């Protein structure tokens, strides 16, 4: 029976991958509308012929990998279940019925190592592509070092979550989802609070911006936005990427204004100030609080759905999946599969909300800086540095784009400038 379900799952995955390949590589969508050809939003105007070719090729491969890698992850969880590996991991745990944190730690470690190995080909191929197309400048050793840090950070947070989660499930198989949700709220806010000062520095070096004149101008913008920041931080990303970025992160006194050194090296002062005005727009519009509220709401719905789906799946397919009961640690791959699926199918909604917030932040920066030339140039440089599609196919936009397309962003600035003129 398990073999039959495994074959069916692989067949469905193959059919899905073929359909996505046809859609992404032979859809013909995502072109430039005739009315915008020759305008500042047309990549043919601001990108070289080679950049256009690389952008199209790289974007298609990257999009295909995205749509294939997530169902592949589901396939991995299914494989771990139907082969009995998850149940075997639980049985291998020493000191059964003693010290739950130790038992969970061993199980989570074994599961994390296995999933890391099985998902590694996709991770490595993404790294290979980014190197091949000139996005990444990171050598393999540095990239692997970041992966190892990721592994241990994720292991630590997963262990805490899993230990509390299964303790709650054992306490109440019917109401665990509500109790888990209530505990997730302070835990998530705590992670947001410590991320800028503890987690982020594990990957990169942060130091005060060396260009003090620019820092003064950025802090003047921050003062207008009422951001409690005394310094602007620079992060050494040039040794890892050619992409550009800047952001405002953290909560309260832990807020940080951060600029990648690639942004400093490639953009003019006015363009940098426009980017910073955009990031501060998120703060002024209180988007971080809307995101927290959205996360809290979606977590509630997700946990409730998972609590309904898991028992049903175990009742119907428990023998095939080698799951004996919902409150056993070996049911964790099923929990991860369900939550991953729910996150994927709900991503168009979360991306739509994020794109709206990005539009608002763009508008704030446009109004504050009143420099349409810098705004257009910034968006063009962001497109070139990341070899981004300015107008992706619809499904790609729905599932992948948390920001408006560059076509929309550039055209918005251009239209507003025409209106003012």
């Amino acid at each position: 029976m398990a073999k039959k379900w495994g074959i069916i799952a692989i067949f469905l995955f193959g059919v899905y991958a073929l359909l996505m390949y046809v859609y992404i590589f032979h859809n013909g969508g995502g072109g430039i509308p005739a009315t915008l050809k020759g305008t500042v939003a047309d990549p043919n105007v601001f990108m070289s012929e080679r950049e256009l070719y690389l952008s199209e090729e790289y974007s298609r491969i990257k999009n295909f990998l995205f749509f294939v890698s997530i169902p592949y992850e589901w396939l991995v969880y299914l494989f771990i279940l139907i082969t009995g590996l998850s149940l075997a991991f639980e049985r291998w745990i020493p000191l059964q019925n003693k010290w739950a944190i130790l038992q969970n730690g061993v199980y989570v470690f074994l599961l994390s190592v296995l999933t890391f190995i099985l998902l590694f080909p996709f991770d490595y191929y993404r790294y290979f592509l980014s190197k091949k197309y000139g996005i990444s400048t990171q050598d393999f050793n540095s990239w692997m070092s970041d992966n190892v840090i990721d592994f241990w950070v994720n292991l630590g947070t997963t262990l805490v979550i899993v230990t509390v989660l299964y303790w709650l499930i054992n306490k109440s198989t019917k109401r665990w989802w509500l109790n888990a949700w209530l505990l997730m709220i302070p835990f998530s806010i705590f992670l947001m609070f410590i991320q800028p000062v503890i987690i982020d520095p594990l990957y990169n070096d942060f130091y005060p911006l060396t260009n003090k004149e620019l820092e003064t101008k950025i802090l003047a913008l921050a003062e207008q936005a009422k951001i409690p920041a005394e310094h602007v931080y620079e992060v050494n990303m040039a040794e890892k990427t050619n992409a550009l970025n800047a952001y405002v992160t953290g909560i309260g006194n832990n807020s940080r204004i951060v600029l990648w050194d690639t942004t400093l090296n490639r953009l003019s002062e006015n363009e940098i100030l426009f980017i910073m005005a955009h990031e501060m727009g998120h703060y002024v519009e209180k988007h971080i609080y809307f995101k927290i509220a959205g996360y809290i709401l979606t977590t509630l719905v997700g946990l409730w759905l998972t609590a309904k789906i898991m028992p049903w799946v175990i009742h119907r397919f428990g023998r095939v999946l080698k799951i004996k009961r919902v409150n056993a640690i070996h049911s964790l791959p099923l929990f991860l599969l369900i939550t991953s699926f729910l996150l994927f199918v709900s991503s168009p909604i979360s991306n739509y909300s994020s794109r709206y917030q990005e539009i608002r932040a763009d508008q704030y920066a446009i109004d504050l800086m009143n420099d349409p030339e810098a705004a257009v140039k910034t968006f063009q440089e962001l497109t070139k540095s990341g070899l981004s599609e300015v107008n992706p196919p619809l499904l790609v936009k729905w599932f992948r784009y948390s920001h408006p397309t560059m076509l929309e962003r550039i055209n918005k600035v251009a239209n507003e400038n025409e209106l003012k003129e």
Side-chain angles (χ1 to χ4, degrees):
M1 181 65 75
K3 183 179 179 180
K4 174 187 173 183
W5 279 101
I7 292 171
I8 291 173
I10 292 171
F11 173 76
L12 291 175
F13 175 76
V15 171
Y16 165 81
L18 179 61
L19 291 173
M20 290 311 305
Y21 177 85
V22 172
Y23 176 77
I24 290 171
F25 286 91
H26 301 284
N27 173 43
I32 306 300
T35 54
L36 295 180
K37 287 185 177 180
T39 67
V40 290
D42 185 351
N44 289 283
V45 170
F46 61 88
M47 296 176 77
S48 68
E49 188 174 336
R50 176 169 175 75
E51 286 172 332
L52 285 167
Y53 171 78
L54 292 176
S55 171
E56 182 177 341
E57 189 176 65
Y58 178 60
S59 296
R60 285 178 174 176
I61 298 172
K62 190 171 57 172
N63 292 335
F64 179 69
L65 278 177
F66 168 82
F67 281 104
V68 171
S69 63
I70 294 177
Y72 173 78
E73 182 183 336
W74 305 340
L75 205 61
V76 165
Y77 293 137
L78 186 63
F79 166 79
I80 292 170
L81 288 168
I82 65 177
T83 57
L85 277 171
S86 184
L87 187 59
F89 286 166
E90 185 179 41
R91 288 173 176 169
W92 293 344
I93 296 174
L95 304 172
Q96 291 286 344
N97 301 319
K98 295 181 181 179
W99 301 325
I101 187 72
L102 177 61
Q103 294 177 46
N104 293 338
V106 174
Y107 178 88
V108 170
F109 176 76
L110 292 172
L111 181 64
S112 298
V113 169
L114 181 59
T115 53
F116 179 87
I117 292 169
L118 294 176
L119 297 175
F120 183 79
F122 275 94
D123 292 334
Y124 176 75
Y125 190 59
R126 289 191 193 94
Y127 164 71
F128 168 79
L129 278 176
S130 64
K131 286 281 285 186
K132 178 182 177 182
Y133 287 90
I135 307 298
S136 174
T137 58
Q138 191 172 19
D139 61 47
F140 179 77
N141 290 338
S142 173
W143 177 77
M144 273 304 299
S145 175
D146 283 351
N147 272 268
V148 171
I149 293 171
D150 260 344
F151 175 85
W152 289 109
V153 170
N154 291 334
L155 179 68
T157 53
T158 302
L159 177 57
V160 172
I161 292 170
V162 167
T163 299
V164 173
L165 179 68
Y166 277 86
W167 177 73
L168 292 172
I169 294 174
N170 275 290
K171 288 287 183 182
S172 173
T173 55
K174 293 187 180 297
R175 293 178 60 85
W176 66 264
W177 60 273
L178 180 59
N179 296 324
W181 175 70
L182 291 172
L183 288 175
M184 280 293 291
I185 296 171
F187 182 71
S188 301
I189 294 173
F190 171 72
L191 287 179
M192 290 179 186
F193 189 79
I194 67 167
Q195 181 175 334
V197 293
I198 294 178
I199 298 176
D200 289 348
L202 294 174
Y203 300 89
N204 297 101
D205 296 326
F206 291 78
Y207 41 88
L209 185 62
T210 53
N211 186 338
K212 295 304 176 183
E213 184 180 344
L214 177 60
E215 182 181 46
T216 300
K217 292 180 180 180
I218 293 173
L219 290 176
L221 293 178
E223 188 176 355
Q224 292 183 55
K226 297 182 180 179
I227 297 175
E230 297 180 358
H231 299 285
V232 177
Y233 289 88
E234 184 177 340
V235 57
N236 59 328
M237 291 299 295
E239 61 188 30
K240 294 185 178 182
T241 183
N242 284 318
L244 312 179
N245 198 16
Y247 55 90
V248 178
T249 187
I251 300 174
N253 292 331
N254 272 22
S255 297
R256 275 190 172 185
I257 302 171
V258 180
L259 274 165
W260 286 10
D261 57 355
T262 51
T263 305
L264 292 166
N265 297 336
R266 186 156 176 172
L267 298 187
S268 69
E269 183 177 281
N270 285 347
E271 291 158 10
I272 292 169
L273 290 174
F274 177 81
I275 284 184
M276 295 315 305
H278 167 93
E279 297 303 329
M280 291 171 190
H282 288 301
Y283 190 92
V284 171
E285 295 274 341
K286 304 188 186 308
H287 290 161
I288 188 168
Y289 300 108
F290 284 110
K291 285 182 179 180
I292 291 172
Y295 173 77
I296 289 171
L297 177 61
T298 54
T299 301
L300 175 64
V301 175
L303 286 171
W304 177 76
L305 286 173
T306 303
K308 297 295 182 184
I309 296 170
M310 270 188 79
W312 180 84
V313 172
I314 293 171
H315 176 73
R316 286 289 304 271
F317 308 106
R319 290 184 62 186
V320 176
L321 300 175
K322 309 291 192 301
I323 300 176
K324 295 184 176 180
R325 59 191 189 280
V326 70
N327 62 342
I329 190 69
H330 66 259
S331 70
L332 180 59
L334 177 60
F335 177 88
L336 296 174
L337 192 159
I338 292 169
T339 52
S340 176
F341 175 79
L342 292 175
L343 282 171
F344 178 73
V345 297
S346 65
S347 58
I349 298 172
S350 58
N351 283 338
Y352 177 83
S353 174
S354 178
R355 287 196 299 271
Y356 174 77
Q357 292 179 359
E358 295 297 332
I359 290 170
R360 295 286 297 176
D362 278 352
Q363 189 63 57
Y364 176 85
I366 291 167
D367 293 340
L368 180 65
M369 300 306 299
N370 193 27
D371 190 347
E373 185 178 343
V376 168
K377 185 66 175 175
T378 299
F379 292 140
Q380 290 176 341
E381 287 297 327
L382 287 169
T383 304
K384 292 166 68 174
S385 66
L387 293 179
S388 306
E389 286 179 291
V390 296
N391 192 32
L394 190 59
L395 282 181
V396 174
K397 179 181 175 180
W398 283 357
F399 283 90
R400 294 210 65 198
Y401 274 55
S402 59
H403 287 60
T405 66
M406 285 302 181
L407 186 75
E408 293 168 334
R409 300 177 86 175
I410 296 173
N411 194 43
K412 177 181 174 62
V413 177
N415 285 341
E416 289 214 356
N417 190 39
E418 284 179 9
L419 288 173
K420 287 178 182 178
E421 289 177 350

